[in-house]
Each structure stands twice: as C-alpha cells, then as structure tokens.
C-alpha cells in the first residue's frame, strides 16, 4: 500500500525559534524595513545596493541559525508518510534538518540569479552578493527571491501537490500573502487540516481544521507524535 501524503505549508513562524525574525509580528522585519525599499522590483531598480545589503545581512543570519525541534519533527514524519514541504521561507532550515522534498515558493536566500535570465541560478559562494558580480550573460546577480509584485513561479506545482494531500499541516504563517496563502483552497475538502501558530485567528473558511495555538517547537513535535502512532 502506498504511503499517505502529508503536505506541510510553512511560514516564518517555524523558524522563529531558530532566531530568525518573522515579518508581521511585533518586532518583525517589516517594522524595521519598508517592503517597497527592499523587496520589490522597483527597489532593485532604484537602489540595488540597499537591496543587496538587506539580503546579505539576512543570509548571514540564516547561515548562523540552526533547525529547531519543529523542523526535525517534520523529518520524523517521513518514516510513515510521503511528506512534501511547501515553504514560504527563504531559509534552508528544512533541508538542513533533513527533509527530502522541499518546495520554496518565495525563493532561496543561499542562491543568486541573473537579472536578465531567471533560469540562471547559482549557489552563492560565501555570504554576499556584491555590486559588479555578474551572471554568465554579463548582467548583475540579484538575490533568488520572489519579490512583491513578481510572479510565484512554483504556485501551479504547489497547487497540484496540495490537491493530493491526505493531511495538510500549516505552521507559522499569518496567511496574509497571496497567492501562497490561497494554497489551502486546493486541498480536498475532507482531508484533515491542522494549523499550528500561537497567534492563529479563527479560519472558518478552512474545512476540517484543527487549530493548535502553540509555538512550532512544541506544537509540531506533539502533532507528529500523534500522527506516527
Ligand atoms: N511558532 C509558530 N508560529 C509562530 C511563532 C512560533 N514560535 N512565532 C511567530 N509565529 C507566527 C505568527 O503568529 C504569525 O502568524 O508566525 C506567523 C508569521 O507571519 P508573517 O510574519 O506574516 O510571516 P509569513 O506568513 O511567513 O509571511 C509570508 O510575507 O513578507 C513576505 O515573502 C515574505 O514569505 C513571506 C510572506
């Protein structure tokens, strides 16, 4: 018999206990920076140096962070289930914990890409992208990040995966940013859904939902233990 499919949809909250800031919590990144200054194509056009500095700083933080109990618990789930992670996070903590299938909707901080040809993607050597560092076609390298106002290239693929979920688990996201936040609409009506987030507000539009108002480092291992029985 083939394994049941669990799709886990994660946001910044799953990495909070690894020391990485979320975006919209109090003290979050979007209190410190303006989205339009650092995370839009216009910002890149007007002030690429500022954009690179913002992501260079975040890359160093990610490289110094370690996966936490929530990331590791999701790896355990693979013992019994076919687990697919779909993350909005640009960190690589799911991969470093050992998760086998991870789809990044909003890009990956450890990679750069060409600003003229989006298929040219590189692993960054060291911690920084600098002005003057070019792709094979001679244009400036940019962070491999999906900015506000840009298409989410993996959204169709993510929707197809979510449509096959026997169980859908949402962890640490305010579900504010579309199209990613609409992923749950693709999940079959009858499939059990879980939301683990200390600030979760009621989500009447999500069918078959169990809300656990807990931090990821506690709530995810608890749920995983229950699912593995
Ligand atoms: N465990 C679980 N959840 C937590 C924890 C924790 N320890 N700490 C905070 N959270 C929750 C918050 O309650 C909040 O609901 O994480 C969520 C973080 O929400 P956002 O900051 O909005 O992050 P996210 O939903 O991932 O943002 C989506 O917005 O700026 C963009 O591209 C960026 O991918 C990001 C997207």
């Amino acid at each position: 018999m083939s394994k049941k499919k669990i799709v886990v949809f994660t946001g910044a909250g799953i990495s909070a206990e690894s020391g990485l800031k979320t975006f919209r919590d109090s003290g979050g990144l979007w209190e410190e920076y303006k989205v339009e200054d650092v995370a839009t194509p216009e910002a890149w056009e007007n002030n690429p140096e500022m954009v690179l500095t913002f992501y260079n700083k975040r890359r160093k933080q990610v490289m110094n962070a370690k996966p936490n109990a929530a990331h590791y618990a999701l790896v355990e789930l693979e013992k019994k289930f076919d687990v697919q992670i779909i993350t909005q996070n640009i960190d690589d903590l799911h991969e470093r914990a050992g998760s086998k299938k991870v789809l990044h909707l909003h890009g990956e901080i450890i990679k750069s890409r060409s600003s003229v040809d989006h298929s040219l993607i590189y692993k960054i050597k060291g911690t920084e992208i600098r002005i003057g560092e070019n792709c094979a076609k001679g244009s400036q390298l940019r962070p491999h990040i999906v900015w506000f106002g840009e298409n989410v290239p993996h959204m169709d693929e993510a929707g197809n995966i979510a449509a096959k979920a026997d169980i859908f688990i949402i962890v640490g996201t305010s579900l504010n940013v579309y199209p990613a936040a609409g992923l749950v609409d693709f999940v079959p009506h009858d499939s059990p859904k879980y939301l683990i987030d200390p600030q979760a507000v009621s989500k009447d539009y999500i069918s078959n939902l169990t809300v656990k108002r807990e931090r990821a480092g506690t709530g995810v291992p608890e749920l995983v233990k229950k699912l593995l029985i």
Side-chain angles (χ1 to χ4, degrees):
M1 214 177 75
S2 66
K3 287 179 175 174
K4 273 194 174 179
K5 189 172 192 72
I6 297 193
V7 178
V8 189
F9 179 50
T10 63
I14 196 168
S15 298
E17 287 156 85
S18 294
L20 300 177
K21 281 188 176 181
T22 62
F23 297 96
R24 293 171 189 79
D25 287 301
S26 99
L29 276 170
W30 295 151
E31 258 179 28
E32 200 179 331
Y33 298 90
K34 284 197 200 148
V35 169
E36 56 271 30
D37 285 346
V38 293
T40 62
E42 293 75 24
W44 178 243
E45 210 160 287
N46 297 334
N47 196 342
E49 196 128 26
M50 186 173 182
V51 173
L52 289 183
T53 304
F54 172 72
Y55 287 103
N56 286 344
K57 189 171 167 197
R58 299 203 49 218
R59 191 173 302 105
K60 281 177 202 150
Q61 289 163 348
V62 165
M63 287 174 151
N64 286 322
K66 292 190 176 66
N68 64 53
H71 298 101
Y72 287 117
L74 293 175
V75 182
E76 290 298 299
L77 216 43
E78 293 182 10
K79 286 181 182 158
K80 187 168 157 191
F81 298 95
D82 169 17
V83 181
Q84 169 76 54
I85 312 269
I86 301 177
T87 188
Q88 299 167 89
N89 298 345
I90 57 176
D91 66 54
D92 60 346
L93 297 183
H94 284 300
E95 288 91 338
R96 279 199 266 144
S99 281
K100 289 203 190 74
K101 291 197 270 179
V102 184
L103 182 67
H104 286 268
L105 287 182
H106 294 163
E108 294 171 77
I109 188 92
I110 58 169
K111 295 180 182 171
S112 63
R113 75 165 182 252
S114 161
S115 44
V116 293
D117 178 348
H118 286 190
S119 70
L120 291 178
I121 298 166
Y122 306 91
K123 178 99 199 294
I124 294 170
K125 294 188 191 88
T127 58
E128 295 194 352
I129 304 177
R130 296 191 190 88
I131 294 288
E133 271 185 86
N134 292 342
C135 72
K137 291 189 174 170
S139 82
Q140 173 67 43
L141 287 174
R142 58 166 274 181
H144 180 45
I145 303 288
V146 176
W147 286 322
F148 285 90
E150 294 188 313
N151 281 334
V152 178
H154 292 302
M155 199 57 212
D156 286 348
E157 188 184 351
N160 290 334
I161 294 168
K164 296 195 192 94
D166 296 303
I167 299 173
F168 191 71
I169 304 172
I170 307 167
V171 187
T173 170
S174 61
L175 293 171
N176 263 314
V177 175
Y178 285 81
L183 193 62
V184 65
D185 298 337
F186 292 84
V187 182
H189 191 266
D190 291 344
S191 299
K193 300 164 192 79
Y194 298 89
L195 168 59
I196 301 170
D197 190 310
Q199 311 282 346
V201 285
S202 99
K203 303 277 175 206
D204 294 342
Y205 64 94
I206 304 180
S207 62
N208 236 322
L209 178 70
T210 306
V211 177
K212 289 166 139 271
R213 282 192 188 83
E214 286 178 47
R215 304 202 316 167
T218 317
V220 176
E222 267 172 26
L223 176 62
V224 165
K225 202 169 157 197
K226 201 178 117 193
L227 292 170
L228 286 176
I229 288 172

